[in-house]
């Protein structure tokens, strides 16, 4: 995950303390799929060198500003992120802001707040470090009630621009200024790379009682690559459900998963990576196969859920004409059942669409699991039809032989 450019808009930074902005940078660095923050308040506080109470107060402020939010389960999500898939071509609308190391340097943090905001605005939002991506500005747009910065006069604006020249390559004229780039010495300090995917995978592995102290970091990244692919194709909720189901399956059948354990529990330098054998790719291939199997188990569980929802609804409908108190309760049960039915139905339709795409690439997997798929409910109808066609075609070939 990458930082969204709007996070660096100077107008949104007027009331930020240094600690609050550092927290924003950290959240953008550790957020994972869907913007989920896989660290607790205590872990965030430890990284920030402050107290959990202070982090809680700052997070509540960010909730009010709609920069973060909590879901119904209490999970924290960061809203100002951009998802960029590995090796993906980035379009003009997908540009993201880099978290440069110098943002947290002692020199930069000691600068006047308005100097910081001007630099952050042009480096983070306007991306002037990109080749040829210079920006013009009007000096009188920097100050006043509607100004970019929290200053009142032209004299203050000129003073800020002069101090910002320490970081930005600029030309200042009578009424305008031009920002050309960032001084190389600051860019050479490097950038802070996202670690959200790794933290998220580790959090899920710990939840399913994997011995994370012995896990290879390279193995974690191979598992994260599979999750990234699912997240890119589907939404956060679906990808997370399948990921959790896959980990449960692995832990449930440890005998069958011994080869996988042998691959992930080793030192990073022990992997064989050559033209003949790539053990890192074997990790992602195995886990992808488990994820695909988990989809089938997930679909079966959804079909059971759908059956139970329909049963609950039918019982409520059969008692609908009892006394007024029971009637009201049953109407609420029916309404809730209808909403649950719609949610499960949508998930099954999503699985059906995904399976249709996969069927074109690997029909054999679906033929192998045809019996289990056959008894899934109606949203899976299209894939069942494709499987039947493939089986009929296979049978005709066998008769011909």
């Amino acid at each position: 995950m990458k930082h969204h450019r709007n996070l660096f808009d100077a107008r949104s930074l007027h009331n930020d303390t240094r600690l609050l902005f550092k927290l924003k940078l950290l959240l953008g660095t550790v957020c994972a799929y869907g913007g989920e923050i896989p660290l607790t308040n205590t872990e965030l506080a430890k990284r920030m060198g402050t107290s959990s109470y202070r982090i809680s107060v700052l997070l509540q402020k960010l909730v009010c500003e709609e920069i973060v939010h909590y879901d119904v389960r209490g999970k924290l999500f960061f809203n100002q992120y951009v998802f960029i898939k590995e090796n993906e071509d980035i379009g003009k609308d997908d540009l993201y802001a880099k978290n440069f190391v110098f943002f947290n340097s002692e020199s930069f943090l000691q600068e006047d707040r308005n100097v910081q905001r001007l630099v952050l605005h042009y480096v983070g939002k306007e991306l002037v470090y990109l080749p040829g991506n210079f920006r013009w500005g009007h000096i009188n747009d920097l100050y006043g009630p509607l100004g970019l910065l929290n200053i009142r006069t032209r004299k203050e604006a000129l003073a800020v621009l002069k101090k910002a020249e320490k970081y930005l390559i600029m030309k200042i004229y009578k009424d305008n200024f031009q920002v050309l780039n960032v001084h190389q010495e600051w860019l050479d300090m490097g950038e802070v790379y996202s670690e959200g995917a790794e933290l998220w995978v580790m959090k899920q592995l710990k939840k399913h009682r994997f011995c994370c102290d012995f896990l290879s970091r390279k193995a974690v990244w191979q598992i994260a690559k599979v999750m990234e692919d699912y997240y890119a194709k589907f939404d956060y909720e679906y990808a997370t459900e399948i990921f959790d189901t896959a980990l449960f399956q692995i832990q449930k059948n440890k005998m069958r998963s011994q080869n996988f354990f042998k691959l992930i529990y080793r030192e990073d330098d022990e992997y064989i990576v050559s033209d003949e054998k790539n053990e890192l790719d074997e990790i992602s291939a195995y886990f992808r196969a488990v994820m695909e199997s988990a989809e089938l188990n997930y679909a079966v569980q959804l079909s059971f859920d759908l059956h139970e929802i329909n049963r609950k609804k039918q019982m409520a409908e059969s008692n609908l004409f009892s006394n007024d108190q029971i009637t009201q309760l049953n109407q609420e049960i029916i309404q809730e059942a209808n909403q649950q039915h719609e949610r499960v139905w949508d998930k099954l339709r999503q699985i059906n669409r995904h399976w249709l795409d996969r069927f074109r690439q690997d029909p054999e997997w679906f033929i192998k699991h045809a019996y289990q798929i056959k008894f899934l409910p109606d949203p899976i109808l299209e894939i069942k039809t494709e499987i039947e066609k493939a089986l009929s075609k296979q049978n005709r070939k066998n008769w011909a032989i």
Side-chain angles (χ1 to χ4, degrees), residues 48-263:
M48 295 282 293
T50 187
S51 67
S52 299
Y53 173 76
R54 185 63 181 147
I55 291 296
S56 298
V57 170
L58 293 176
L59 287 175
Q60 286 305 314
K61 177 174 170 46
L62 294 181
V63 168
C64 296
E65 295 175 2
E66 299 184 347
I67 291 174
V68 301
H69 74 274
Y70 290 92
D71 70 1
V72 293
R73 293 161 292 188
K75 288 184 179 179
L76 177 64
F77 290 81
F78 183 65
N79 301 333
Q80 297 279 10
Y81 75 94
V82 178
F83 172 64
I84 304 294
K85 190 176 178 183
E86 188 179 357
N87 300 324
E88 184 178 29
D89 291 333
I90 301 171
K92 187 176 180 181
D93 295 334
D94 299 319
L95 292 173
Y96 59 89
K98 291 184 178 181
N99 179 6
F100 286 106
V101 170
F102 84 85
F103 292 160
N104 281 307
S105 68
E106 193 63 29
S107 171
F108 186 69
L109 290 176
Q110 293 303 317
E111 295 287 354
D112 177 81
R113 285 189 186 180
N114 285 304
V115 175
Q116 292 175 358
R117 287 167 185 144
L118 183 72
V119 173
L120 291 168
H121 184 87
Y122 281 96
V123 179
K125 188 173 192 299
E126 303 296 345
L127 308 181
V128 294
Y129 57 85
L130 296 178
N133 200 28
F134 65 88
R135 286 290 186 272
W136 282 100
H138 296 279
I139 294 174
N140 59 7
D141 287 341
L142 296 180
Y143 61 92
L146 301 177
L148 187 69
L149 304 176
N150 192 22
I151 52 180
R152 294 176 296 175
T153 66
R154 173 185 171 85
K155 182 179 179 181
E156 288 177 288
L158 289 171
V160 169
L161 287 171
K162 283 292 183 183
K163 290 180 180 179
E165 284 186 297
K166 178 179 178 180
Y167 305 93
L168 303 174
I169 301 173
M170 304 173 66
K171 292 181 179 179
I172 303 173
Y173 301 95
K174 180 181 177 182
D175 296 315
N176 306 302
F177 62 94
Q178 186 181 27
V179 184
L180 299 168
N181 210 317
V182 182
H183 287 295
Q184 195 61 42
E185 64 178 291
W186 302 109
L187 298 180
D188 287 344
M189 291 177 69
E191 60 182 283
V192 181
Y193 294 99
S194 172
E195 53 180 314
E198 182 179 1
L199 290 170
W200 188 91
V201 170
M202 289 293 286
K203 178 184 175 183
Q204 301 302 108
L205 290 169
K206 287 177 183 176
K207 185 173 77 174
H208 289 273
R209 302 184 64 79
F210 280 76
C211 300
C212 295
D213 290 339
F214 305 100
L215 271 173
S216 160
R217 190 163 183 261
K218 288 183 177 180
V220 172
W221 277 107
Q222 291 300 117
I223 295 170
K225 281 169 60 177
V226 180
M227 176 59 187
E228 180 183 89
D229 187 48
Y230 266 76
Y231 176 71
K233 291 177 180 175
F234 309 105
D235 59 20
Y236 163 83
E237 184 178 355
Y238 180 80
T240 303
E241 289 277 5
I242 301 303
F243 191 91
D244 274 346
T245 305
L247 293 182
F248 176 76
Q249 284 186 208
I250 291 173
Q251 289 290 47
K252 185 180 179 182
N253 193 335
K254 294 185 180 181
M255 185 67 71
R256 191 181 63 186
S257 306
Q258 279 306 308
N259 289 336
F260 182 65
F261 291 142
K262 288 176 183 177
L263 279 172

